[in-house]
Amino acid sequence: MSDSGASRPVAVIIGMMGAGKTRVGREVSQMLGLPFRDADLEIEREVGMSIPDYFSRYGEPAFREVESDLIRRTLEEFDGLFALGGGAPMTPATQDALADYIADGGRVIYLQADPKEAMERANRGGGRPMLNGGDANERWMRLYKQRDPVFTRIANIHVRTHGSTPQMAARKVMNMIEERVVHVDVVAADDYNVRIGEGALNHLAGVLGDKPTRIALIHTQPVQRHSDRARALLRQAGYEVSDIVIPDAEAGKTITVANGIWERLGNEGFTRSDAVVGVGGGAVTDLAGFVAATWMRGIRYVNCPTSLLAMVDASTGGKTGINTKVGKNLVGSFYTPAGVLADMTTLASLPNDIFIEGLGEVAKSGFISDPEILRILEDHAAELRAFDGATLIGSPLEDVVAELIERTVKVKARHVSADLKEAGLREFLNYGHTLGHAIEKLEHFRWRHGNAVAVGMVYAAELASLLGYIDRDLVDYHRSLLASLGLPTSWNGGSFEDVLALMHRDKKARGNTLRFVVLDGIGHPVHLDDPPADAVEEAFRRIQQ
């Protein structure tokens, strides 16, 4: 939000007559301890008569003028929850005011009720001048056809309330209000949002939009409960869903798996306007993005990461790829998603060891860019190490994890925004990866990525210390912090010759020259080209202990 000193509403609720804006708005305001205002009630107070009376005496144009003026003032001076009347967002002046509010970080929530439910409520409530004359239901549907596309376009949050009680709908709205949103603004590519919070998956239809007819839902078996939820949301929104299950982890990232999916897309008539949704860990989001980037030279895709590692790393940044026999991610494409939905509830099913490995990438972002991440990791190391998904949601640790995800994604967004195709700045995100990828390959991917990167960071710190970039204390800090989180800091599973050969094949390598990312202080990564061979070997010897 703007820090200009002016108050702004926490959220503005729009929707059709009978959608439940006032009832749901009041529930949410109680849950969050915020004041609530209903535009229609405020107008009645201001003009000293009921809206039906004002309509019949002065007509709709005069009413809309009073309404848009009150909305504009409230958007500038009120810091609670604000519900607008059914037709308010159709007025150009109100549309402009809402666009300014969104540009200032505001949330305009479109409460998408089931038309039958909303019509019933609207008729029951009475006092709605727009439904006077003729068949009320027919008039409601006519208005709905005019307004729905406009509301969909204006709002930056869409909440479907079909079949929900007011309390359930309020809970959905509250989760979306409390979400953390990181905007990734990419030079020479479409920008997108990473949404982090409970219920973030509810944005799926809003991010996909109304162009796609068919959705390829790509997921693995272990995340079945999350893919079931995604499928239900997609079907509710009217999409045709092709369910595509792939092998778990790195076994799913192969040309054979990709080819099988291309064949299915062809057989099922997927066009350029259809879309892909990836639900799962980093391997799934990598593969789903690669399929989307290559089908008909690029179709829309949305990532729904279900592991900490995928939320902070693979799903954001527009890197897609598959593995080959000679190395990891050597075949791929830079292709940005339409959005990333990091739903915190998916972490509830995450085993402890898979959560811990994600902390490797979180710590990396702290070392290269945001020291506050390191402070949070230090302060909460014991709780993070003892992570139990079953107790996460609603616990104090949930907010700690959400902040770590948000900060890590912001680090990635800063590097990716300026350098989508990894020509310079983005390479700093590869801190710890040169050795880390070699370990993964030599371990036949039995070692998890975040664990390999943790050892890789210790290696990079040892190398930087040997060459005088950092002092011994910072090397020791790498070891102690990573170990306190339950991450490995040494590896003894292969010879230096094997590791060296793989490091030469690393994507950062230039010709026959080894290229590393090292630190010359916390938050200050630098490129290290062609370091002395004896230092490269000595640093390796030190991580074997």
Side-chain angles (χ1 to χ4, degrees):
M1 290 291 220
S2 165
D3 56 4
S4 60
S7 290
R8 289 293 217 177
V10 168
V12 174
I13 302 173
I14 66 173
M16 285 296 293
M17 291 172 285
K21 300 182 292 294
T22 303
R23 176 75 193 274
V24 170
R26 286 193 199 286
E27 291 273 356
V28 176
S29 68
Q30 283 179 345
M31 287 173 173
L32 294 174
L34 291 168
F36 174 74
R37 280 189 196 172
D38 178 301
D40 285 351
L41 295 177
E42 297 296 317
I43 291 165
E44 289 185 336
R45 196 172 292 131
E46 195 163 290
V47 299
M49 65 179 80
S50 72
I51 286 173
D53 286 350
Y54 195 91
F55 246 78
S56 62
R57 192 176 297 187
Y58 299 106
E60 188 183 353
F63 170 75
R64 294 299 177 200
E65 205 168 305
V66 170
E67 179 183 57
S68 63
D69 182 57
L70 179 131
I71 289 168
R72 182 187 49 74
R73 280 184 279 121
T74 307
L75 289 175
E76 289 169 359
E77 66 186 26
F78 179 57
D79 59 2
L81 234 67
F82 186 31
L84 306 192
M90 300 302 285
T91 308
T94 297
Q95 291 179 11
D96 291 344
L98 289 174
D100 288 346
Y101 165 68
I102 285 174
D104 200 25
R107 305 171 187 88
V108 174
I109 299 171
Y110 177 18
L111 218 53
Q112 296 172 302
D114 174 61
K116 279 193 192 127
E117 290 172 18
M119 267 189 270
E120 232 171 77
R121 276 198 295 264
N123 290 331
R124 226 173 27 236
R128 300 181 191 272
M130 297 301 289
L131 296 183
N132 290 345
D135 183 326
N137 283 354
E138 196 183 300
R139 287 178 72 84
W140 192 98
M141 277 311 293
R142 200 159 57 239
L143 287 169
Y144 176 71
K145 282 177 183 151
Q146 290 167 6
R147 292 175 179 179
D148 177 58
V150 177
F151 291 4
T152 301
R153 177 175 53 78
I154 288 171
N156 59 350
I157 295 176
H158 304 81
V159 178
R160 285 172 63 85
T161 64
H162 296 47
S164 300
T165 64
Q167 292 77 13
M168 285 159 63
R171 179 95 205 157
K172 275 187 183 178
V173 171
M174 186 185 77
N175 285 339
M176 297 218 177
I177 287 171
E178 291 189 325
E179 258 178 9
R180 298 161 183 264
V181 180
V182 180
H183 186 68
V184 186
D185 192 5
V186 185
V187 176
D190 293 335
D191 53 353
Y192 58 95
N193 287 325
V194 180
R195 295 185 176 276
I196 305 149
E198 283 183 47
L201 209 53
N202 290 325
H203 289 287
L204 198 45
V207 177
L208 286 165
D210 56 8
K211 279 188 188 160
T213 301
R214 295 171 193 80
I215 307 295
L217 179 63
I218 301 175
H219 64 95
T220 57
Q221 202 62 52
V223 300
Q224 189 70 47
R225 76 166 85 166
H226 309 312
S227 62
D228 285 349
R229 194 166 141 238
R231 189 183 313 105
L233 288 166
L234 291 167
R235 288 197 172 137
Q236 270 173 15
Y239 301 108
E240 289 173 29
V241 183
S242 294
D243 198 66
I244 300 174
V245 184
I246 65 166
D248 195 23
E250 299 296 327
K253 278 177 59 175
T254 67
I255 192 69
T256 310
V257 172
N259 190 49
I261 297 173
W262 291 324
E263 286 188 4
R264 267 199 69 178
L265 300 186
N267 291 335
E268 293 176 22
F270 270 69
T271 68
R272 184 162 278 153
S273 62
D274 293 323
V276 168
V277 171
V279 178
V284 172
T285 57
D286 276 359
L287 179 86
F290 180 67
V291 167
T294 49
W295 183 252
M296 295 201 169
R297 297 189 178 88
I299 62 173
R300 197 169 182 79
Y301 80 107
V302 177
N303 278 333
C304 305
T306 60
S307 70
L308 177 62
L309 183 75
M311 288 180 184
V312 299
D313 184 33
S315 64
T316 303
K319 264 186 177 182
T320 76
I322 54 173
N323 302 332
T324 65
K325 283 177 183 169
V326 291
K328 191 177 174 187
N329 296 329
L330 293 177
V331 175
S333 169
F334 291 99
Y335 190 64
T336 53
V340 177
L341 306 178
D343 193 322
M344 295 290 291
T345 60
T346 64
L347 297 179
S349 60
L350 210 60
N352 173 275
D353 61 328
I354 298 180
F355 176 82
I356 297 293
E357 73 139 336
L359 295 174
E361 284 286 351
V362 174
K364 176 207 75 180
S365 293
F367 281 121
I368 66 166
S369 183
D370 181 0
E372 183 64 13
I373 289 174
L374 303 179
R375 188 194 65 72
I376 295 168
L377 289 173
E378 276 184 69
D379 289 352
H380 299 279
E383 304 131 82
L384 290 164
R385 186 174 183 163
F387 170 85
D388 175 7
T391 61
L392 176 70
I393 303 303
S395 73
L397 188 63
E398 183 184 358
D399 206 48
V400 173
V401 173
E403 184 176 358
L404 287 170
I405 294 169
E406 180 186 21
R407 284 183 170 277
T408 306
V409 169
K410 278 182 173 170
V411 169
K412 186 146 193 179
R414 277 198 297 274
H415 289 74
V416 168
S417 297
D419 178 25
L420 176 66
K421 300 206 172 170
E422 206 164 49
L425 183 67
R426 182 173 183 157
E427 280 192 347
F428 292 143
L429 292 169
N430 284 320
Y431 185 55
H433 284 54
T434 306
L435 178 69
H437 280 160
I439 290 173
E440 285 180 274
K441 184 83 178 75
L442 290 169
E443 292 284 354
H444 304 289
F445 300 110
R446 285 187 299 263
W447 262 56
R448 293 199 160 271
H449 176 73
N451 293 349
V453 166
V455 176
M457 287 190 284
V458 175
Y459 173 80
E462 291 283 8
L463 184 59
S465 169
L466 284 164
L467 297 174
Y469 284 87
I470 60 173
D471 60 21
R472 190 71 224 161
D473 285 352
L474 186 46
V475 183
D476 293 341
Y477 179 61
H478 275 71
R479 288 182 180 275
S480 63
L481 177 67
L482 296 170
S484 74
L485 297 167
L487 288 157
T489 56
S490 62
W491 178 75
N492 210 351
S495 70
F496 175 67
E497 288 69 32
D498 289 342
V499 165
L500 189 63
L502 284 168
M503 290 198 299
H504 271 290
R505 279 195 211 142
D506 183 76
K507 293 189 299 296
K508 288 184 303 305
R510 300 285 188 267
N512 204 31
T513 303
L514 278 179
R515 182 174 167 93
F516 293 91
V517 174
V518 296
L519 302 182
D520 64 6
I522 288 178
H524 294 279
V526 292
H527 286 119
L528 173 60
D529 288 328
D530 211 12
D534 57 343
V536 173
E537 188 166 2
E538 173 59 19
F540 179 72
R541 193 185 62 73
R542 292 184 180 187
I543 59 107
Q544 290 183 297
Q545 295 162 3

